[in-house]
Amino acid sequence: MVRNGIGIRTAQALSERIVGQIHVYDGASKGKSQAALGVVLRSIGLGINSDSPTRVLLLRFLKGPGRSYDEDGAIEALQRGFPHLIDQVRTGRAEYFGSKEITRFDRLEAARGWDVAKGAIASDLYSVVVLDEINPVLDLGLLPIEEIVNTLKNKSEHLEIIATGRSAPQALLDIADLHSEMKPHYHPAAAASGITGIEIYTGAGKGKSTSALGKALQAIGRGISQDQSHRVLIMQWLKGGSGYTEDAAIAALRQIYPYLVDHQRCGRDAIVWRGQQQELDYVEAERGWEIARAAIASGLYKTIILDELNPTVDLELLPVEPIVEALLRKPRDTEIIITGRCYKPHAYFDLANVHSEVFCHKHYGDRGVELKRGVDF
């Protein structure tokens, strides 16, 4: 998304940075771990279609063995297909616990996870290290914050660090190059309507489309490991052309599990500015909506990602009323995820059971740092 305006920066129009950044996703609303999974998906996609030394470590704190998560199946499928691209480590116990229930085992598991992270950061073998749910680990006092901060400050120049979870400590935020906070909004009308399964991610911060990709990975994993009828559609507006790194990873999953995931893009390979819309922009937006509307009504898909639908409506490339009607009529067991920033909430926001505003506290783009292939797009 172009900052200070409506318009999607397409992949072909982007230059690429080399220096790795420290990303922190926190806040009380959903989307934090999903954003980390979205980066994993993009990074793997970059590695599939290039000779670059792209390798990802997904280190998941507070998610020990003995409990299954929706994304497990998809991650394991990617590991089987591309073992040279992704490593995963889970630490902690399976059940939830609070500060009054901390045991020696919890401290040992947190320390084990951090030992793995330190080794990975020092090894120079990885291009991306994801520290999923490390923020609450630090908030619970299971790890020394000073050691974590010093280690991250001294990481190699190219390494990308993704830290997620509620209650990120200030010392970590101080060294972060990017800080996105997921803030919840509540819509009483959604509960009154009886409609469930509609999530919206908007706001000026980084993490909206990335969270949606992570949500797609979770849904694909659910289909692999739990219910093979759980089909997923990823529909993306304002993103024509090529060069998006997630495409290769999604295509690989489609090849392994062709019955589980469909992926469609629409739009020109160019930024669409308000007041400068072309006829093709309207045609492409409508084409994408026809696909999405049919998918919603069909009941064939259990998860449907409508990526960048919000700015498409903001640009008046699509009317609001048909979207509201389609969401009101959706099958009860179909989950809809809508993303993108917008100037004001649209009528369909009132139907959302989850509405996360990704608030931008800090973004390396504001310092003139370029985006990075495999992480940002």
Side-chain angles (χ1 to χ4, degrees):
M1 172 68 72
V2 172
R3 302 175 68 74
N4 303 318
I6 292 294
I8 304 299
R9 296 175 66 182
T10 59
Q12 296 292 354
L14 292 169
S15 53
E16 183 182 353
R17 63 180 163 84
I18 298 174
V19 176
Q21 307 289 302
I22 299 173
H23 311 235
V24 176
Y25 295 95
D26 75 344
S29 195
K30 288 185 66 176
K32 303 177 288 293
S33 291
Q34 291 169 202
L37 290 171
V39 173
V40 169
L41 191 66
R42 282 179 170 151
S43 299
I44 292 171
L46 176 63
I48 291 170
N49 274 354
S50 73
D51 296 325
S52 61
T54 298
R55 188 173 180 87
V56 182
L57 172 64
L58 176 56
L59 181 53
R60 303 163 74 188
F61 291 90
L62 305 180
K63 294 180 178 178
R67 183 180 179 194
S68 61
Y69 295 86
D70 286 340
E71 63 270 16
D72 290 348
I75 292 170
E76 289 167 10
L78 288 167
Q79 282 184 298
R80 287 196 302 270
F82 309 100
H84 61 297
L85 295 179
I86 178 171
D87 292 317
Q88 177 190 203
V89 176
R90 289 170 59 174
T91 72
R93 49 172 150 148
E95 69 273 14
Y96 294 107
F97 64 94
S99 58
K100 296 180 180 179
E101 306 168 86
I102 294 174
T103 66
R104 182 170 178 270
F105 174 80
D106 298 320
R107 297 188 184 280
L108 288 173
E109 280 292 281
R112 179 174 72 88
W114 178 240
D115 283 344
V116 174
K118 281 193 297 184
I121 292 169
S123 71
D124 209 28
L125 295 174
Y126 295 92
S127 55
V128 179
V129 172
V130 176
L131 305 176
D132 186 32
E133 298 295 350
I134 195 171
N135 296 340
V137 167
L138 296 172
D139 187 54
L140 288 166
L142 297 178
L143 290 173
I145 181 61
E146 297 83 3
E147 181 182 341
I148 277 77
V149 167
N150 288 333
T151 301
L152 298 186
K153 285 171 64 177
N154 292 308
K155 71 176 183 65
S156 64
E157 186 179 54
H158 76 276
L159 181 61
E160 213 80 29
I161 301 287
I162 316 292
T164 78
R166 291 191 181 208
S167 306
Q170 188 59 49
L172 180 58
L173 297 177
D174 288 342
I175 66 167
D177 301 295
L178 180 143
H179 174 204
S180 288
E181 178 187 0
M182 275 61 171
K183 293 185 175 182
H185 291 266
Y186 301 100
H187 298 279
S193 69
I195 296 176
T196 59
I198 298 175
E199 299 185 9
I200 295 178
Y201 296 89
T202 189
K206 172 178 166 53
K208 302 178 289 294
S209 292
T210 315
S211 291
L213 288 172
K215 188 77 175 182
L217 192 63
Q218 289 177 331
I220 294 165
R222 199 178 312 150
I224 293 170
S225 60
Q226 300 174 24
D227 179 7
Q228 293 190 1
S229 67
H230 194 114
R231 293 179 61 185
V232 181
L233 171 65
I234 304 171
M235 185 70 230
Q236 298 183 295
W237 279 268
L238 301 175
K239 291 181 176 178
S242 60
Y244 299 91
T245 51
E246 65 263 24
D247 290 358
I250 294 170
L253 285 168
R254 287 188 67 193
Q255 187 171 8
I256 302 170
Y257 303 102
Y259 52 84
L260 281 183
V261 57
D262 290 316
H263 181 206
Q264 297 278 338
R265 292 190 183 276
C266 64
R268 290 184 290 128
D269 190 8
I271 298 174
V272 181
W273 296 108
R274 185 184 299 276
Q276 300 178 23
Q277 299 93 324
Q278 299 181 12
E279 182 63 27
L280 183 58
D281 298 323
Y282 292 92
V283 171
E284 281 290 284
E286 185 62 32
R287 180 178 69 84
W289 174 243
E290 287 302 320
I291 295 170
R293 177 162 54 186
I296 294 169
S298 72
L300 295 175
Y301 295 93
K302 294 298 186 288
T303 300
I304 298 175
I305 310 293
L306 305 179
D307 184 36
E308 303 296 0
L309 180 63
N310 292 334
T312 303
V313 174
D314 246 23
L315 287 163
E316 299 178 348
L317 299 177
L318 289 174
V320 174
E321 293 76 12
I323 298 171
V324 173
E325 292 173 6
L327 295 180
L328 286 170
R329 296 173 182 172
K330 79 171 185 68
R332 188 171 183 83
D333 61 350
T334 296
E335 190 173 30
I336 309 289
I337 294 87
I338 300 171
T339 79
R341 80 162 70 181
C342 52
Y343 285 123
K344 62 179 181 180
H346 302 299
Y348 53 82
F349 278 52
D350 288 335
L351 303 176
N353 313 108
V354 173
H355 175 190
S356 288
E357 178 187 2
V358 185
F359 188 82
C360 181
H361 289 282
K362 192 187 297 186
H363 195 300
Y364 39 77
D366 292 333
R367 296 186 283 109
V369 177
E370 295 290 350
L371 304 186
K372 187 174 185 179
R373 194 174 298 276
V375 176
D376 298 300
F377 65 97

